[in-house]
Amino acid sequence: MNFCPTCNSVVETKIIFTYTAEREMNDEMFGNTTEISLSKCLKCQNPFLKQNHYQIVEGEFYPNSEIQFFPNTENIAIKNCPKIVFNPYKEALKCYRAHAYDACVIMCRKGIEAICMDKGEIKGNLATKLKNLNSKGILENTLYSWANELRLIGNDGAHSHDQIVDQQDAKEAIDFFDALITYLYHLVNQYEELIKRRKK
């Protein structure tokens, strides 16, 4: 069983191909090995690529660690962003996986509020805060448009009884939120480090 981001549910999967590396064993039948598996979701047919590491004890295999290469669900920027931003992102994912799409986009909107607070914008409504970040150059025009769209989708989730927030709306809200975090808390820092290294 795996969580499939396309189906947004835990699904049954079927292994298509498995490669097991040569086992590293000692004379007492202790050792380890690595297995790479390619499987597919039985609902949407999307692939999963995983690496499993096994500890071998007296000839028996015991799972030690697992890494999913595809779909890649890890984002280093998310781990490095401030807690005030990370918490609504984590909650938005929980809501999305629970099919609570209104709640998901509301949490994404809360995350945009958190970014504004972290960047020093604490006065006025969210629209004003985003305009101020744009005028300061913290949010360039494209990112400002994304953040403002997240604000509007979040408003629909919180206040509108006519505008339905569906799975695609919620998924795109998380994707935009993810992109904003990646830019502000990872790529900007990487760029600054690059400039420092080149000046040495």
Side-chain angles (χ1 to χ4, degrees):
M1 303 289 281
N2 291 283
F3 176 79
C4 177
T6 303
C7 298
N8 190 29
S9 61
V10 176
V11 298
E12 290 188 39
T13 56
K14 178 181 179 181
I15 294 178
I16 301 170
F17 179 79
T18 301
Y19 167 76
T20 303
E22 186 175 343
R23 301 170 189 175
E24 299 175 8
M25 303 278 289
N26 61 22
D27 294 337
E28 297 177 349
M29 297 294 287
F30 285 80
N32 57 76
T33 189
T34 300
E35 179 184 274
I36 304 295
S37 64
L38 174 65
S39 58
K40 67 177 181 179
C41 170
L42 292 181
K43 292 179 72 175
C44 70
Q45 309 302 309
N46 275 3
F48 293 84
L49 183 63
K50 290 187 175 184
Q51 173 185 288
N52 289 281
H53 184 266
Y54 294 93
Q55 201 75 32
I56 305 172
V57 180
E58 297 181 345
E60 296 292 328
F61 287 67
Y62 296 92
N64 191 26
S65 65
E66 179 182 273
I67 300 173
Q68 181 166 298
F69 296 119
F70 185 86
N72 185 5
T73 56
E74 292 292 325
N75 183 345
I76 190 172
I78 302 301
K79 295 179 180 179
N80 293 336
C81 73
K83 190 173 182 179
I84 191 177
V85 178
F86 174 76
N87 285 343
Y89 179 85
K90 180 175 65 175
E91 291 301 313
L93 278 180
K94 287 181 182 178
C95 293
Y96 178 77
R97 291 175 179 175
H99 299 248
Y101 301 129
D102 280 335
C104 174
V105 298
I106 290 170
M107 292 311 300
C108 288
R109 187 188 187 283
K110 184 176 180 179
I112 300 303
E113 287 266 15
I115 288 174
C116 291
M117 291 181 64
D118 181 61
K119 298 300 180 183
E121 289 298 325
I122 57 175
K123 295 182 179 179
N125 59 29
L126 182 54
T128 300
K129 293 172 185 175
L130 291 174
K131 285 180 181 177
N132 290 341
L133 290 182
N134 179 234
S135 64
K136 291 177 180 178
I138 295 174
L139 286 179
E140 55 87 27
N141 290 338
T142 299
L143 293 174
Y144 167 71
S145 297
W146 291 358
N148 196 53
E149 193 62 32
L150 278 181
R151 177 183 69 84
L152 295 174
I153 294 173
N155 286 349
D156 287 341
H159 305 299
S160 177
H161 296 284
D162 299 320
Q163 189 73 30
I164 297 173
V165 176
D166 60 18
Q167 179 183 348
Q168 185 174 354
D169 293 327
K171 180 64 169 63
E172 289 174 353
I174 289 178
D175 287 345
F176 286 139
F177 189 15
D178 189 299
L180 285 166
I181 293 173
T182 300
Y183 175 80
L184 291 170
Y185 298 105
H186 182 60
L187 294 180
V188 169
N189 293 338
Q190 270 200 328
Y191 175 73
E192 291 173 352
E193 290 297 322
L194 171 66
I195 296 303
K196 287 179 185 177
R197 286 198 305 272
R198 289 178 61 83
K199 286 182 178 179
K200 289 181 180 179

mmCIF file of all heavy atoms in Angstrom, residues 13-19 35-41 46-52 70:
data_model
loop_
_atom_site.group_PDB
_atom_site.id
_atom_site.type_symbol
_atom_site.label_atom_id
_atom_site.label_comp_id
_atom_site.label_asym_id
_atom_site.label_seq_id
_atom_site.Cartn_x
_atom_site.Cartn_y
_atom_site.Cartn_z
ATOM 1 N N THR A 13 -0.730 -1.187 -4.763
ATOM 2 C CA THR A 13 0.247 -1.084 -5.840
ATOM 3 C C THR A 13 0.710 -2.476 -6.248
ATOM 4 O O THR A 13 0.632 -3.427 -5.473
ATOM 5 C CB THR A 13 1.468 -0.243 -5.407
ATOM 6 O OG1 THR A 13 2.028 -0.812 -4.226
ATOM 7 C CG2 THR A 13 1.067 1.188 -5.135
ATOM 8 N N LYS A 14 1.199 -2.566 -7.462
ATOM 9 C CA LYS A 14 1.722 -3.827 -7.980
ATOM 10 C C LYS A 14 3.166 -3.625 -8.390
ATOM 11 O O LYS A 14 3.480 -2.683 -9.126
ATOM 12 C CB LYS A 14 0.895 -4.283 -9.186
ATOM 13 C CG LYS A 14 1.407 -5.576 -9.816
ATOM 14 C CD LYS A 14 0.565 -5.954 -11.021
ATOM 15 C CE LYS A 14 1.092 -7.241 -11.667
ATOM 16 N NZ LYS A 14 0.294 -7.619 -12.863
ATOM 17 N N ILE A 15 4.050 -4.491 -7.902
ATOM 18 C CA ILE A 15 5.471 -4.409 -8.258
ATOM 19 C C ILE A 15 5.659 -4.918 -9.683
ATOM 20 O O ILE A 15 5.211 -6.011 -10.040
ATOM 21 C CB ILE A 15 6.341 -5.213 -7.279
ATOM 22 C CG1 ILE A 15 6.274 -4.573 -5.888
ATOM 23 C CG2 ILE A 15 7.786 -5.279 -7.769
ATOM 24 C CD1 ILE A 15 7.065 -5.317 -4.826
ATOM 25 N N ILE A 16 6.329 -4.086 -10.499
ATOM 26 C CA ILE A 16 6.582 -4.436 -11.900
ATOM 27 C C ILE A 16 7.985 -5.024 -12.069
ATOM 28 O O ILE A 16 8.190 -5.974 -12.825
ATOM 29 C CB ILE A 16 6.431 -3.185 -12.796
ATOM 30 C CG1 ILE A 16 5.028 -2.593 -12.657
ATOM 31 C CG2 ILE A 16 6.719 -3.518 -14.251
ATOM 32 C CD1 ILE A 16 4.888 -1.237 -13.308
ATOM 33 N N PHE A 17 8.942 -4.437 -11.336
ATOM 34 C CA PHE A 17 10.324 -4.894 -11.461
ATOM 35 C C PHE A 17 11.052 -4.655 -10.148
ATOM 36 O O PHE A 17 10.830 -3.645 -9.480
ATOM 37 C CB PHE A 17 11.042 -4.139 -12.587
ATOM 38 C CG PHE A 17 12.486 -4.523 -12.765
ATOM 39 C CD1 PHE A 17 12.833 -5.672 -13.436
ATOM 40 C CD2 PHE A 17 13.487 -3.719 -12.246
ATOM 41 C CE1 PHE A 17 14.164 -6.041 -13.585
ATOM 42 C CE2 PHE A 17 14.824 -4.075 -12.392
ATOM 43 C CZ PHE A 17 15.159 -5.243 -13.068
ATOM 44 N N THR A 18 11.905 -5.605 -9.783
ATOM 45 C CA THR A 18 12.711 -5.484 -8.568
ATOM 46 C C THR A 18 14.160 -5.844 -8.872
ATOM 47 O O THR A 18 14.421 -6.852 -9.558
ATOM 48 C CB THR A 18 12.196 -6.417 -7.453
ATOM 49 O OG1 THR A 18 10.848 -6.082 -7.151
ATOM 50 C CG2 THR A 18 13.029 -6.261 -6.181
ATOM 51 N N TYR A 19 15.068 -4.997 -8.390
ATOM 52 C CA TYR A 19 16.496 -5.295 -8.511
ATOM 53 C C TYR A 19 17.084 -5.343 -7.104
ATOM 54 O O TYR A 19 16.924 -4.399 -6.329
ATOM 55 C CB TYR A 19 17.227 -4.232 -9.334
ATOM 56 C CG TYR A 19 18.730 -4.336 -9.228
ATOM 57 C CD1 TYR A 19 19.429 -5.328 -9.913
ATOM 58 C CD2 TYR A 19 19.443 -3.457 -8.410
ATOM 59 C CE1 TYR A 19 20.805 -5.439 -9.802
ATOM 60 C CE2 TYR A 19 20.817 -3.562 -8.291
ATOM 61 C CZ TYR A 19 21.496 -4.557 -8.994
ATOM 62 O OH TYR A 19 22.849 -4.672 -8.869
ATOM 63 N N GLU A 35 17.485 -3.050 -2.119
ATOM 64 C CA GLU A 35 16.537 -3.463 -3.147
ATOM 65 C C GLU A 35 15.889 -2.241 -3.773
ATOM 66 O O GLU A 35 15.446 -1.327 -3.072
ATOM 67 C CB GLU A 35 15.458 -4.354 -2.521
ATOM 68 C CG GLU A 35 14.395 -4.825 -3.502
ATOM 69 C CD GLU A 35 13.306 -5.623 -2.806
ATOM 70 O OE1 GLU A 35 13.487 -6.837 -2.639
ATOM 71 O OE2 GLU A 35 12.295 -4.997 -2.400
ATOM 72 N N ILE A 36 15.871 -2.187 -5.102
ATOM 73 C CA ILE A 36 15.188 -1.120 -5.840
ATOM 74 C C ILE A 36 13.934 -1.720 -6.468
ATOM 75 O O ILE A 36 14.009 -2.763 -7.139
ATOM 76 C CB ILE A 36 16.083 -0.532 -6.952
ATOM 77 C CG1 ILE A 36 17.422 -0.033 -6.378
ATOM 78 C CG2 ILE A 36 15.349 0.607 -7.665
ATOM 79 C CD1 ILE A 36 17.291 1.113 -5.428
ATOM 80 N N SER A 37 12.785 -1.085 -6.243
ATOM 81 C CA SER A 37 11.541 -1.630 -6.794
ATOM 82 C C SER A 37 10.781 -0.578 -7.591
ATOM 83 O O SER A 37 10.719 0.596 -7.210
ATOM 84 C CB SER A 37 10.644 -2.172 -5.675
ATOM 85 O OG SER A 37 10.229 -1.128 -4.820
ATOM 86 N N LEU A 38 10.248 -1.002 -8.718
ATOM 87 C CA LEU A 38 9.377 -0.171 -9.548
ATOM 88 C C LEU A 38 7.986 -0.782 -9.478
ATOM 89 O O LEU A 38 7.798 -1.958 -9.784
ATOM 90 C CB LEU A 38 9.868 -0.143 -10.992
ATOM 91 C CG LEU A 38 8.970 0.583 -12.001
ATOM 92 C CD1 LEU A 38 8.889 2.070 -11.677
ATOM 93 C CD2 LEU A 38 9.481 0.365 -13.430
ATOM 94 N N SER A 39 7.026 0.005 -9.019
ATOM 95 C CA SER A 39 5.650 -0.481 -8.923
ATOM 96 C C SER A 39 4.700 0.536 -9.536
ATOM 97 O O SER A 39 5.119 1.622 -9.943
ATOM 98 C CB SER A 39 5.285 -0.755 -7.456
ATOM 99 O OG SER A 39 5.436 0.418 -6.677
ATOM 100 N N LYS A 40 3.419 0.173 -9.600
ATOM 101 C CA LYS A 40 2.438 1.096 -10.175
ATOM 102 C C LYS A 40 1.172 1.097 -9.334
ATOM 103 O O LYS A 40 0.825 0.103 -8.682
ATOM 104 C CB LYS A 40 2.103 0.722 -11.614
ATOM 105 C CG LYS A 40 1.365 -0.598 -11.766
ATOM 106 C CD LYS A 40 0.995 -0.858 -13.223
ATOM 107 C CE LYS A 40 0.233 -2.168 -13.377
ATOM 108 N NZ LYS A 40 -0.162 -2.416 -14.779
ATOM 109 N N CYS A 41 0.501 2.239 -9.326
ATOM 110 C CA CYS A 41 -0.792 2.373 -8.659
ATOM 111 C C CYS A 41 -1.831 1.608 -9.475
ATOM 112 O O CYS A 41 -1.917 1.768 -10.697
ATOM 113 C CB CYS A 41 -1.162 3.856 -8.566
ATOM 114 S SG CYS A 41 -2.855 4.161 -8.026
ATOM 115 N N ASN A 46 -0.015 5.245 -12.209
ATOM 116 C CA ASN A 46 1.202 6.034 -12.029
ATOM 117 C C ASN A 46 2.282 5.216 -11.324
ATOM 118 O O ASN A 46 1.985 4.389 -10.465
ATOM 119 C CB ASN A 46 0.905 7.307 -11.217
ATOM 120 C CG ASN A 46 0.402 8.427 -12.093
ATOM 121 O OD1 ASN A 46 0.225 8.262 -13.295
ATOM 122 N ND2 ASN A 46 0.171 9.584 -11.492
ATOM 123 N N PRO A 47 3.567 5.451 -11.669
ATOM 124 C CA PRO A 47 4.648 4.629 -11.111
ATOM 125 C C PRO A 47 5.147 5.109 -9.748
ATOM 126 O O PRO A 47 4.980 6.278 -9.378
ATOM 127 C CB PRO A 47 5.760 4.789 -12.156
ATOM 128 C CG PRO A 47 5.546 6.159 -12.713
ATOM 129 C CD PRO A 47 4.051 6.381 -12.710
ATOM 130 N N PHE A 48 5.770 4.181 -9.018
ATOM 131 C CA PHE A 48 6.484 4.468 -7.775
ATOM 132 C C PHE A 48 7.865 3.832 -7.890
ATOM 133 O O PHE A 48 7.988 2.674 -8.301
ATOM 134 C CB PHE A 48 5.772 3.855 -6.560
ATOM 135 C CG PHE A 48 4.437 4.463 -6.249
ATOM 136 C CD1 PHE A 48 3.297 4.050 -6.905
ATOM 137 C CD2 PHE A 48 4.329 5.454 -5.284
ATOM 138 C CE1 PHE A 48 2.065 4.602 -6.613
ATOM 139 C CE2 PHE A 48 3.098 6.011 -4.979
ATOM 140 C CZ PHE A 48 1.966 5.589 -5.647
ATOM 141 N N LEU A 49 8.890 4.584 -7.516
ATOM 142 C CA LEU A 49 10.247 4.054 -7.513
ATOM 143 C C LEU A 49 10.806 4.186 -6.101
ATOM 144 O O LEU A 49 10.896 5.294 -5.568
ATOM 145 C CB LEU A 49 11.140 4.814 -8.500
ATOM 146 C CG LEU A 49 12.575 4.293 -8.647
ATOM 147 C CD1 LEU A 49 12.581 2.874 -9.201
ATOM 148 C CD2 LEU A 49 13.395 5.219 -9.536
ATOM 149 N N LYS A 50 11.176 3.049 -5.501
ATOM 150 C CA LYS A 50 11.612 3.047 -4.107
ATOM 151 C C LYS A 50 12.920 2.285 -3.934
ATOM 152 O O LYS A 50 13.235 1.370 -4.708
ATOM 153 C CB LYS A 50 10.558 2.411 -3.199
ATOM 154 C CG LYS A 50 9.290 3.231 -3.029
ATOM 155 C CD LYS A 50 8.388 2.591 -1.991
ATOM 156 C CE LYS A 50 7.166 3.452 -1.713
ATOM 157 N NZ LYS A 50 6.333 2.892 -0.631
ATOM 158 N N GLN A 51 13.649 2.678 -2.898
ATOM 159 C CA GLN A 51 14.836 1.943 -2.466
ATOM 160 C C GLN A 51 14.611 1.463 -1.039
ATOM 161 O O GLN A 51 14.256 2.245 -0.159
ATOM 162 C CB GLN A 51 16.080 2.826 -2.507
ATOM 163 C CG GLN A 51 17.325 2.172 -1.902
ATOM 164 C CD GLN A 51 18.499 3.120 -1.856
ATOM 165 O OE1 GLN A 51 19.090 3.437 -2.885
ATOM 166 N NE2 GLN A 51 18.828 3.601 -0.673
ATOM 167 N N ASN A 52 14.789 0.172 -0.827
ATOM 168 C CA ASN A 52 14.667 -0.409 0.511
ATOM 169 C C ASN A 52 16.001 -1.012 0.929
ATOM 170 O O ASN A 52 16.639 -1.727 0.140
ATOM 171 C CB ASN A 52 13.591 -1.497 0.527
ATOM 172 C CG ASN A 52 12.198 -0.938 0.412
ATOM 173 O OD1 ASN A 52 11.637 -0.444 1.392
ATOM 174 N ND2 ASN A 52 11.624 -0.993 -0.779
ATOM 175 N N PHE A 70 10.400 8.464 -6.459
ATOM 176 C CA PHE A 70 9.330 9.024 -7.280
ATOM 177 C C PHE A 70 8.001 8.380 -6.891
ATOM 178 O O PHE A 70 7.945 7.169 -6.718
ATOM 179 C CB PHE A 70 9.599 8.765 -8.774
ATOM 180 C CG PHE A 70 8.588 9.426 -9.672
ATOM 181 C CD1 PHE A 70 8.762 10.734 -10.076
ATOM 182 C CD2 PHE A 70 7.445 8.743 -10.087
ATOM 183 C CE1 PHE A 70 7.826 11.351 -10.878
ATOM 184 C CE2 PHE A 70 6.503 9.351 -10.879
ATOM 185 C CZ PHE A 70 6.700 10.660 -11.280
#
